Amino acid sequence: MQLPLLASTFITVFLAELGDKTQLAIVTISGTSTRSGAVFAGSATALVLASLLGAGAGGSLSAVIPTNALQLAASLGFLVIGTRLLLRAGSETETPAAAESEVD
């Protein structure tokens, strides 16, 4: 096993998962249940299966599509998603003056 690859994957996924919707859902479910162990087991199993699907898909695709093309496609996908989120956030943000003029 390649320890640097394992460590970088762990750190990347751990940081990516902090504060996301999945974690908020787990906090919500755990807060409404007295069995936090079952919530942990269910959420851990779901994350493992989702990661297995991602790793399997990436491994399968890399056998057919060159790695550089996969990295470019992933980069462009994140760029598109990020741009759309920024544009959506900008369009939802109103200044107090604009909100007052709409009420009048």
Side-chain angles (χ1 to χ4, degrees), residues 76-102:
L76 291 174
F78 279 113
L79 183 63
V80 168
I81 291 169
T83 303
R84 290 184 67 189
L85 288 172
L86 287 173
L87 291 173
R88 184 180 301 161
S91 68
E92 291 177 0
T93 305
E94 292 185 5
T95 60
E100 288 176 9
S101 66
E102 289 179 6

Side-chain angles (χ1 to χ4, degrees), residues 39-81:
V39 174
F40 171 76
S43 63
T45 303
L47 182 58
V48 166
L49 289 176
S51 298
L52 180 65
L53 289 172
S60 299
L61 287 176
S62 68
V64 179
I65 302 171
T67 304
N68 290 339
L70 283 175
Q71 290 176 343
L72 179 62
S75 300
L76 291 174
F78 279 113
L79 183 63
V80 168
I81 291 169

Side-chain angles (χ1 to χ4, degrees), residues 2-61:
Q2 296 178 339
L3 190 57
L5 178 59
L6 176 70
S8 67
T9 303
F10 173 82
I11 291 168
T12 302
V13 172
F14 181 78
L15 292 176
E17 292 297 321
L18 283 178
D20 73 343
K21 293 182 287 188
T22 305
Q23 188 179 27
L24 295 175
I26 294 167
V27 168
T28 302
I29 294 168
S30 185
T32 60
S33 170
T34 59
R35 307 217 32 208
S36 58
V39 174
F40 171 76
S43 63
T45 303
L47 182 58
V48 166
L49 289 176
S51 298
L52 180 65
L53 289 172
S60 299
L61 287 176

